[in-house]
Amino acid sequence: MNRLFAGLGRFVVRFRFLVVIAWIVLVVVSSRALPSLASEVNNDNSQFLPSSAPSSQAATLLTPILGSSNTASQVVIVASRAAGPLTAGDQSTVAREIAAVRGVARVTAARELGVSPDGQAVQVVVRLRVNQADVSAQKTILDGIRATFARVEAPRGLQLHLAGNIATNVANQQSSNTTGSKTQSLSLLLIIVLLLFIFRSLLAPIVTLLPAAFALLVSTRFIGGLGAHGVKISEITELLLIVLLLGAGTDYGLFLVFRVREELRAGRDPKGAVVQSLVRVGESISASAGTVIFALLSLLLASFGIYKDLGLPLALGVAVMLVAGLTLLPALLAICGRALFWPSNVRPGPVKASAWARLATRLVARPAITLGIGLAIFGGLAAATFGYHSGGFGGALNAPAGSDAAAGNAAISKYFPGASTNPANIVLVYSRPVWDDPSALVRADHSLVGSKEFAELSVPIDPNGHALSAATFTQLHRQLGDAAHLPAADPRPGTVSVADYNAYRSSSLYVSADGRTVQFEATLRAGDQQSTAALDAIPTVRATVTRAARVSGATSSGLAGQAAALYDVSSTSNHDLTHIVPVAIAAIAVLLALVLRSAVAPLYLIVSVALSYLAALGFSTLVFIDIGGAKGLTFILPFLMFLFLLALGEDYNILVMTRIREEAHHRSLRDAVVHAVGQTGPAVTSAGLVLAGTFGVLAVAGGSGSSGSQIRDIGFGLAIGILMDTFLVRTLLVPSTVALLGRWNWWPAAMGRHASRPADARQHEHEGDLAAISTRS
């Protein structure tokens, strides 16, 4: 392995300018040829459910009414007048708007749904030929629809807005772009400030950060290309990519730059120092990135799409970052030479023991006590996890304040029944048309109302606030025909009342063209669709729907809508947690065993990360639930915290343990621990501060965006976990465990099977190895 990295180092140093030019070309070409990542972001977590989820099956049953989610979407135009009833001029404007919107590309139909009971607003349903998950295409269509608002020249006082889930999701995607840019800018600023403090140099911070920035620019375009070809990209993916590549990428840069500085102080020339540093930490950096990649690729086994589609993009980003760290960074270091650390003077000479070395000396002198103290700290914090419970499942559920979608949703909430704003969709399928036997609708209605589970219910025979009797519903169908094709005004005035005519026209949103599929739109008594209380009520509501189907003679039934979908999100997420975590642990354990040449060390290293995970989750629970009074933490937090802390925490373990192993060849084990912690302490501390800082930026900047507390919980939890890994696991648990186990750390490798050899023999062998590599360099 040393020969591989020595060869790579010599190649990069020799062709350093060509390597830099190649990366610049790659950035330019990818930026021009591939779509941006931001254009592919989808904020609705329910869009990531598998087709087998009950809410997905219910949505399939609704296809005859709402169309297939793969080929059709719909958005609502709401026209309203706050000062009074709509005028004849307003109605004429709505007619012109319907004609205009039908000319927008990929609009398949547009028609007036109905006038509000007070006559002050009207809804126009617009059907779109676009996948419900294709946010980029939806945005283009909605921009085209909004452009028609100005062309129809609405009278003064008449307001036109878009509303509904599609309009909300597109508005949130635009908000996510702003949040992503803010997170990226603040992360870069924080990292530069930290690196300036760490190096006390002008050039070193830029050179350390530049490969991570290049990797981010290239990766966002590659992943944008994946999104354009069907991979769903959530806002969490976008934000985590920014933080992961800038934070972890800078960490890997720090590992190499600190080792180059150490080699320069040991007397090597700048180019030789780069080659030798790549030999010494190249394997550690590769293994560290490998643990992250393996952990992310394990997500491909997930059922929940937000996990499954998170794995490949982030793994691709980390792979690009690794290549940049092993090629672009060494090339830049070789170009800069000693000037990298200016105005600091990096000259050969003895280096005094660092604070980390002095601390390690004290800790390994009494390893059992040190380990006991560490376990007590982590155990106490981990106990707080018993107070953890989930909440905040939906991602961005409300349109950003001030957006057109927010105004449209507010208008629907004001002028139309509450169930039509963000309803729970109850679907019932019958063997024959309901207008032939409308009593089935009456029986279903009575069963649903009698359950007391619903605060409001919009039904096929009461679709807009004006109720129709079962007999009237049947009579109107015989008299008027298909409700979906009726014009806005009765072509035969006086035949039926205006109220009956508008109510029957509105029923087309609730009854399929063949009359066999019907939906009821409901407001849950438990709370809003996005509330934890509503999610908890879903099992009972589903039982209520099943009972209503049985009473009314329906052959199939289901419950769709956000609360049902997000309940399925929770269930699917918990299922994935129990299946993927063991796979990720096994994969990383194998990689650690290969890198450390030990079957023992991976066991306690993984346990140490698990303890820091539980402690970080417990600390988050204390802060947000016990102290802050939050109703719950985002459902995705435990899963992502474990996965990222397992992968990223092992990065520091690998750097420290490989250095201990290197030093143990020519020192006693306890001296090796002291020296390794002393030498890697500054790098690990700096890296931990950078990575935790970027996750802190995610908590602040992302927490103020469209997904709010969901991103805040993730950022804060990961930042706390990284800090615990940096300052406690690496200082207390790992060094004390190594000191206690002695040579058994390396079992079954030769170092673990034999007692320590004389120090001079080990030193001679070590120097011979270095001389051989140096000669080849």
Side-chain angles (χ1 to χ4, degrees):
M1 190 62 71
N2 285 349
R3 292 181 179 180
L4 173 64
F5 286 105
L8 176 63
R10 290 194 299 271
F11 175 85
V12 170
V13 168
R14 181 178 180 183
F15 299 103
R16 52 195 178 277
F17 292 105
L18 288 178
V19 170
V20 173
I21 291 171
W23 272 98
I24 294 173
V25 170
L26 181 60
V27 170
V28 172
V29 171
S30 61
S31 298
R32 292 180 178 273
L34 297 171
S36 68
L37 173 62
S39 66
E40 304 298 330
V41 170
N42 189 325
N43 290 77
D44 185 357
N45 287 344
S46 64
Q47 292 285 338
F48 295 85
L49 277 172
S51 59
S52 59
S55 57
S56 299
Q57 294 176 343
T60 301
L61 292 178
L62 278 169
T63 299
I65 299 176
L66 302 181
S68 169
S69 62
N70 293 325
T71 58
S73 301
Q74 72 175 29
V75 67
V76 175
I77 300 174
V78 56
S80 63
R81 179 174 289 277
L86 297 173
T87 66
D90 295 338
Q91 293 284 9
S92 177
T93 299
V94 171
R96 292 197 305 274
E97 174 59 30
I98 291 173
V101 81
R102 285 171 177 163
V104 175
R106 301 180 77 170
V107 169
T108 58
R111 70 180 192 86
E112 183 182 318
L113 179 61
V115 180
S116 62
D118 61 8
Q120 292 183 249
V122 61
Q123 292 185 74
V124 175
V125 175
V126 182
R127 298 292 175 91
L128 316 174
R129 190 177 67 254
V130 62
N131 189 300
Q132 289 185 12
D134 191 348
V135 184
S136 179
Q138 290 167 2
K139 180 181 182 302
T140 301
I141 299 171
L142 265 56
D143 287 343
I145 294 175
R146 287 194 183 96
T148 65
F149 292 172
R151 296 203 298 267
V152 298
E153 299 178 348
R156 185 180 181 84
L158 180 68
Q159 296 184 341
L160 297 173
H161 298 288
L162 290 176
N165 289 337
I166 296 299
T168 298
N169 201 23
V170 169
N172 280 320
Q173 189 246 23
Q174 293 174 286
S175 175
S176 296
N177 295 347
T178 303
T179 303
S181 299
K182 183 178 178 182
T183 301
Q184 181 171 317
S185 300
L186 290 177
S187 296
L188 288 169
L189 178 62
L190 174 70
I191 292 171
I192 289 174
V193 170
L194 287 174
L195 292 180
L196 284 170
F197 177 77
I198 290 166
F199 288 115
R200 295 174 177 81
S201 163
L202 297 178
L203 193 56
I206 298 173
V207 171
T208 304
L209 179 59
L210 203 57
F214 270 49
L216 179 61
L217 291 173
V218 173
S219 298
T220 54
R221 293 294 174 169
F222 284 174
I223 297 168
L226 291 177
H229 287 83
V231 175
K232 294 179 183 178
I233 309 295
S234 69
E235 182 185 20
I236 293 173
T237 301
E238 179 188 27
L239 294 177
L240 283 178
L241 180 74
I242 293 170
V243 171
L244 185 61
L245 294 199
L246 291 181
T250 304
D251 281 6
Y252 299 156
L254 284 168
F255 295 168
L256 186 59
V257 172
F258 269 99
R259 189 62 188 244
V260 167
R261 187 171 67 177
E262 182 182 340
E263 295 296 335
L264 289 173
R265 286 172 174 168
R268 292 189 181 276
D269 66 278
K271 294 182 178 59
V274 172
V275 175
Q276 184 64 18
S277 297
L278 201 58
V279 170
R280 287 306 183 194
V281 300
E283 184 179 7
S284 298
I285 293 173
S286 301
S288 297
T291 61
V292 180
I293 292 171
F294 279 2
L296 291 170
L297 289 180
S298 70
L299 291 174
L300 295 176
L301 302 175
S303 301
F304 183 32
I306 205 169
Y307 294 153
K308 189 171 185 176
D309 294 328
L310 183 73
L312 183 59
L314 293 188
L316 175 60
V318 174
V320 173
M321 180 181 69
L322 174 61
V323 175
L326 295 178
T327 57
L328 179 59
L329 180 58
L332 292 172
L333 294 175
I335 291 171
C336 294
R338 294 184 185 276
L340 178 74
F341 300 101
W342 184 88
S344 299
N345 188 14
V346 181
R347 296 295 178 190
V351 179
K352 64 179 181 179
S354 68
W356 283 108
R358 293 192 295 272
L359 177 62
T361 301
R362 294 187 179 93
L363 294 178
V364 299
R366 295 179 177 85
I369 296 176
T370 301
L371 182 60
I373 293 173
L375 291 176
I377 294 173
F378 282 99
L381 289 173
T385 58
F386 289 108
Y388 168 84
H389 51 271
S390 299
F393 294 87
L397 298 172
N398 299 314
S403 65
D404 178 67
N409 291 340
I412 290 182
S413 179
K414 179 179 180 180
Y415 295 112
F416 293 89
S420 67
T421 57
N422 185 19
N425 303 94
I426 299 168
V427 56
L428 303 174
V429 180
Y430 295 93
S431 58
R432 60 176 182 158
V434 292
W435 43 71
D436 291 348
D437 181 18
S439 64
L441 297 178
V442 177
R443 293 194 301 273
D445 184 26
H446 287 168
S447 178
L448 293 170
V449 171
S451 71
K452 307 299 183 182
E453 294 293 334
F454 308 103
E456 294 183 66
L457 203 62
S458 292
V459 302
I461 53 179
D462 186 6
N464 68 343
H466 176 76
L468 301 171
S469 68
T472 301
F473 181 71
T474 299
Q475 180 183 352
L476 288 172
H477 177 264
R478 290 173 181 168
Q479 192 171 350
L480 301 175
D482 186 0
H485 295 92
L486 291 177
D490 188 351
R492 295 172 294 176
T495 306
V496 298
S497 70
V498 174
D500 283 355
Y501 183 84
N502 285 332
Y504 180 68
R505 283 188 70 247
S506 298
S507 71
S508 64
L509 187 63
Y510 300 85
V511 183
S512 63
D514 64 3
R516 290 180 168 84
T517 303
V518 300
Q519 73 158 329
F520 294 68
E521 292 188 342
T523 298
L524 301 181
R525 192 174 297 278
D528 294 336
Q529 286 278 294
Q530 62 266 38
S531 68
T532 302
L535 269 61
D536 292 340
I538 289 302
T540 303
V541 175
R542 280 180 169 153
T544 298
V545 171
T546 301
R547 186 165 53 251
R550 185 175 61 252
V551 169
S552 63
T555 58
S556 301
S557 66
L559 179 68
Q562 278 188 325
L566 299 177
Y567 176 85
D568 293 339
V569 164
S570 173
S571 300
T572 306
S573 175
N574 292 337
H575 173 271
D576 285 342
L577 183 65
T578 59
H579 285 75
I580 291 177
V581 165
V583 174
I585 289 175
I588 291 177
V590 170
L591 183 61
L592 287 173
L594 293 174
V595 173
L596 300 177
R597 285 82 165 172
S598 168
V600 175
L603 301 179
Y604 65 77
L605 293 179
I606 287 177
V607 169
S608 72
V609 173
L611 285 173
S612 67
Y613 156 72
L614 291 173
L617 183 59
F619 190 82
S620 299
T621 301
L622 284 173
V623 170
F624 292 118
I625 296 180
D626 298 333
I627 298 175
K631 294 181 179 179
L633 297 175
T634 178
F635 75 99
I636 202 173
L637 180 62
F639 190 90
L640 286 187
M641 274 186 66
F642 187 86
L643 201 69
F644 278 89
L645 292 181
L646 177 66
L648 296 173
E650 297 303 351
D651 288 0
Y652 304 151
N653 275 331
I654 288 171
L655 182 70
V656 173
M657 289 297 291
T658 52
R659 187 59 185 264
I660 291 175
R661 182 184 177 87
E662 176 187 335
E663 298 296 334
H665 280 92
H666 56 280
R667 301 175 187 271
S668 69
L669 185 59
R670 293 201 175 189
D671 285 347
V673 171
V674 171
H675 192 78
V677 172
Q679 292 297 325
T680 61
V684 171
T685 303
S686 301
L689 288 173
V690 167
L691 191 56
T694 54
F695 279 120
V697 168
L698 175 65
V700 174
S704 64
S706 58
S707 290
S709 61
Q710 178 173 243
I711 302 299
R712 178 208 65 191
D713 293 351
I714 294 170
F716 181 84
L718 288 172
I720 291 299
I722 293 297
L723 289 175
M724 287 182 177
D725 264 344
T726 303
F727 292 101
L728 296 177
V729 173
R730 241 53 61 208
T731 351
L732 300 177
L733 300 186
V734 171
S736 57
T737 304
V738 172
L740 283 172
L741 290 177
R743 63 188 179 88
W744 292 105
N745 283 286
W746 318 115
W747 187 88
M751 289 181 65
R753 294 196 303 268
H754 304 294
S756 299
R757 288 175 294 161
D760 57 348
R762 292 193 305 269
Q763 177 70 25
H764 178 75
E765 179 185 299
H766 177 69
E767 290 175 350
D769 289 345
L770 293 184
I773 293 172
S774 179
T775 301
R776 291 193 297 270
S777 300

